[in-house]
Amino acid sequence: RIQVRLIAEPPAVAVQPPAVPVQPPVEPRPEPPGPDRPQPSELPFGRLIDTIALIGEVRNIYCMALSPDDRLLAYGTPESGTLLYDLRQHRYLAQLPQVEGVQCVAFTPDGSRLLTAGKDQLIHVWDPTTYRSLETWEGHGAWIRDGLFLPDGETFVACDMKGIVRFWKSGEQVRPLVKARDSLTDLALSPDGK
């Protein structure tokens, strides 16, 4: 079984690690506990918000994204594609019908769309409330490994196994390609967004 732990931003004042040994985690449950649910605890690196036990055929998680309103958790797996979990209602909502090998999930900044990509070399655009496919973008000639939105909220950047970075807006490539020397697996955005 896989557990996902959601951690909030670090507290303003660093919390000292507990003087007593930390207890091992409680065995995860497929359904969240009721009123006796453990209260969030302070950790040295942030505040533990929740623990989710992932059920089903999930053996690995390649990527995760949290919706801007902190309600939905999307995660990509090699076995089950993309799954959506409602963090407020503590239940699974959907398994999106995409091929296995999802390497990238990202919500638009307004939360109206979810983009997924991976082994099939396509970028899929979904409505995260109806779980319907809205668009599919083609152009990568290799396994897409990661993607993110630029601060404008409209431009999606994706990288693939051939070391190609592509910039997308509404399904069209909008900037010249960037080619790395080797395969790319991750993207990151500088704090200033440039």
Side-chain angles (χ1 to χ4, degrees), residues 97-99 113-118 120-127 132-140 144 168-173:
Q98 182 181 353
V99 298
R113 293 173 291 149
L114 172 67
L115 278 68
T116 65
D120 66 356
Q121 305 174 18
L122 302 170
I123 297 171
H124 300 269
V125 183
W126 305 90
D127 180 325
R132 286 187 27 241
S133 175
L134 301 174
E135 297 180 76
T136 301
W137 303 345
E138 297 181 43
H140 282 272
I144 300 170
W168 300 86
K169 191 179 281 191
S170 300
E172 300 294 324
Q173 294 181 48

Side-chain angles (χ1 to χ4, degrees), residues 18-55:
V20 296
V22 176
Q23 298 298 319
V26 176
E27 182 65 26
R29 294 179 258 188
E31 292 299 317
D36 61 338
R37 176 182 214 122
Q39 294 301 308
S41 59
E42 294 297 324
L43 301 172
F45 49 85
R47 194 170 128 263
L48 177 64
I49 298 172
D50 204 352
T51 300
I52 302 166
L54 304 181
I55 58 176

Side-chain angles (χ1 to χ4, degrees), residues 15-185:
V15 177
Q16 295 298 320
V20 296
V22 176
Q23 298 298 319
V26 176
E27 182 65 26
R29 294 179 258 188
E31 292 299 317
D36 61 338
R37 176 182 214 122
Q39 294 301 308
S41 59
E42 294 297 324
L43 301 172
F45 49 85
R47 194 170 128 263
L48 177 64
I49 298 172
D50 204 352
T51 300
I52 302 166
L54 304 181
I55 58 176
E57 293 298 315
V58 177
R59 291 187 300 274
N60 297 294
I61 295 176
Y62 284 171
C63 53
M64 301 177 98
L66 191 60
S67 63
D69 64 359
D70 295 336
R71 185 177 75 83
L72 298 177
L73 175 69
Y75 57 96
T77 72
E79 308 92 0
S80 303
T82 304
L83 292 101
L84 287 171
Y85 185 87
D86 188 310
L87 294 168
R88 293 185 185 151
Q89 296 179 9
H90 304 286
R91 66 184 180 98
Y92 286 92
L93 298 174
Q95 178 178 354
L96 300 180
Q98 182 181 353
V99 298
E100 292 121 13
V102 175
Q103 291 277 315
C104 166
V105 292
F107 284 94
T108 54
D110 66 1
S112 66
R113 293 173 291 149
L114 172 67
L115 278 68
T116 65
K119 200 173 191 176
D120 66 356
Q121 305 174 18
L122 302 170
I123 297 171
H124 300 269
V125 183
W126 305 90
D127 180 325
T129 57
T130 65
Y131 324 122
R132 286 187 27 241
S133 175
L134 301 174
E135 297 180 76
T136 301
W137 303 345
E138 297 181 43
H140 282 272
W143 190 343
I144 300 170
R145 297 299 304 265
D146 199 9
L148 54 80
F149 280 94
L150 295 184
D152 68 7
E154 297 177 11
T155 306
F156 185 72
V157 183
C159 68
D160 65 35
M161 291 291 286
K162 288 185 178 176
I164 303 287
V165 177
R166 296 178 191 265
F167 295 80
W168 300 86
K169 191 179 281 191
S170 300
E172 300 294 324
Q173 294 181 48
V174 294
R175 290 192 190 171
L177 302 177
V178 176
K179 172 74 171 105
R181 290 184 188 185
D182 295 311
S183 172
L184 295 173
T185 58

